[in-house]
Amino acid sequence: MATRPYSESLERLRAAGLRPTRQRLALARLLYGRGHRHVTAEQLHAEALAATVRISLATVYNSLHQFTEAGMLREVVVDPARRYFDTNVEPHHHFFMATDGVLQDISGKDVSITGLPAVPAGTELQGIDVIVRIRRN
Amino acid sequence: MATRPYSESLERLRAAGLRPTRQRLALARLLYGRGHRHVTAEQLHAEALAATVRISLATVYNSLHQFTEAGMLREVVVDPARRYFDTNVEPHHHFFMATDGVLQDISGKDVSITGLPAVPAGTELQGIDVIVRIRRN
DNA sequence: AATTATAGTTATAATAATTATAATATATTG
DNA sequence: CAATATATTATAATTATTATAACTATAATT
């Protein structure tokens, strides 16, 4: 077969220094199986259960944080009610539709921001998030 | 005196169609007394108590939402753990220092963003938030 | 000014997402 | 395979926020 999702996930976890447990492998496969994704803990947990992976919500939370720590995920802060995690860790931006909670990537390549002041004295730049809020019309 | 914070706040509330109650007047004075501010409900409540205004946390939450509804405040989503409200409702952006939870305005006048794709079909633009995340160094 | 109706405030309980805990299970290493 | 280190789990705890329902203040009307 062309792709080998199992060993890809396994290598990904090894590279991050995370033990390839049943649960982490399952999550990695769900997350990186096909294209980039934006998930909440609840969503991912529901998906795992639907795929008959036995995993607790606590482990989903733990894994999301560990993956983020390891640079495999990035958190996107757009909704005060829940935390989103993005499998795309390249610099980029987002559309966010608040009504149905859907995030969509905006490639970072073409976007440029001019006219920003220098960061305040004693601080350094960590990153720039652009959230384009949209609604159905 | 040069400024008359009392009647300013009163007029502001009247204009928004909100009854100028003791509590709302006190909050308006704290919020709009001198320059723009970024507050959380807890912070504002603590400030009010420190200023010997007797007000419950529930009323602070209610008022923040009513003020926001009335266009007197704008919510800034930057921290998954708490909700910030900004007295500056003009289009503008923010520096955010996660470690100490401090927000700082970036004037919207000089900032321009190019290369953003058109909004997805069936949606309309609601607003663009730029968050420049910084940390102490 | 007194009365009535409306709206606001409050203490408290409820909610919901997330995080901590401590017992159990699994994976790795020698 | 035994010993050790690390993960997972169910559950409880935590935290910010929102809902509830009794009470109080404000505004409108007489």
Side-chain angles (χ1 to χ4, degrees):
Chain A
M1 53 181 143
T3 59
R4 301 181 316 178
Y6 181 82
S7 35
E8 265 179 41
S9 294
L10 194 141
E11 282 154 29
R12 196 184 278 272
L13 290 172
R14 282 211 203 292
L18 294 169
R19 278 194 189 171
T21 64
R22 210 181 304 292
Q23 290 83 350
R24 293 206 273 231
L25 276 168
L27 294 183
R29 260 174 263 144
L30 288 171
L31 288 170
Y32 305 103
R34 209 169 295 284
H36 284 309
R37 311 202 45 192
H38 302 90
V39 300
T40 66
E42 287 280 6
Q43 278 168 16
L44 187 58
H45 183 232
E47 257 186 55
L49 295 186
T52 65
V53 175
R54 191 178 296 156
I55 185 172
S56 72
L57 183 56
T59 296
V60 173
Y61 272 106
N62 288 340
S63 301
L64 286 174
H65 291 144
Q66 291 153 351
F67 288 12
T68 302
E69 195 101 348
M72 293 165 56
L73 286 176
R74 152 184 173 189
E75 187 177 356
V76 186
V77 183
V78 285
D79 184 339
R82 74 200 99 255
R83 305 172 72 148
Y84 285 85
F85 294 87
D86 188 348
T87 59
N88 182 354
V89 296
E90 299 303 310
H92 69 284
H93 306 296
H94 292 96
F95 284 117
F96 181 60
M97 203 176 325
T99 45
D100 46 8
V102 172
L103 272 169
Q104 190 181 318
D105 280 1
I106 296 172
S107 162
K109 286 202 309 290
D110 315 310
V111 175
S112 88
I113 308 170
T114 59
L116 286 176
V119 303
T123 71
E124 64 182 8
L125 184 65
Q126 218 180 327
I128 299 179
D129 296 344
V130 177
I131 311 297
V132 181
R133 294 181 185 273
I134 57 181
R135 70 182 144 214
R136 226 184 273 298
N137 63 4
Chain B
M1 51 185 146
T3 59
R4 300 182 317 179
Y6 182 82
S7 36
E8 265 178 40
S9 295
L10 195 140
E11 282 153 29
R12 196 183 280 270
L13 290 172
R14 282 208 202 293
L18 295 168
R19 278 196 191 170
T21 64
R22 211 180 304 290
Q23 291 84 348
R24 295 206 273 230
L25 276 168
L27 294 183
R29 261 174 262 143
L30 288 171
L31 287 171
Y32 306 103
R34 209 167 295 282
H36 283 309
R37 311 201 46 192
H38 304 90
V39 300
T40 65
E42 287 281 4
Q43 279 169 15
L44 187 58
H45 184 232
E47 257 185 54
L49 295 186
T52 65
V53 175
R54 191 180 298 156
I55 187 172
S56 72
L57 183 56
T59 296
V60 174
Y61 272 105
N62 288 340
S63 301
L64 287 174
H65 292 144
Q66 291 154 350
F67 288 12
T68 301
E69 194 101 349
M72 294 166 55
L73 286 176
R74 153 185 172 186
E75 187 178 355
V76 186
V77 183
V78 285
D79 184 339
R82 74 201 98 256
R83 304 172 73 148
Y84 285 85
F85 294 86
D86 188 346
T87 59
N88 181 355
V89 295
E90 299 303 311
H92 69 285
H93 306 296
H94 293 95
F95 283 119
F96 181 60
M97 205 178 321
T99 44
D100 47 7
V102 171
L103 272 169
Q104 190 180 318
D105 279 1
I106 296 173
S107 162
K109 284 202 310 289
D110 314 310
V111 175
S112 89
I113 308 170
T114 60
L116 286 176
V119 302
T123 71
E124 64 182 7
L125 184 66
Q126 220 180 327
I128 300 180
D129 296 344
V130 178
I131 312 297
V132 181
R133 295 181 184 273
I134 56 181
R135 68 182 144 215
R136 226 183 273 297
N137 63 5

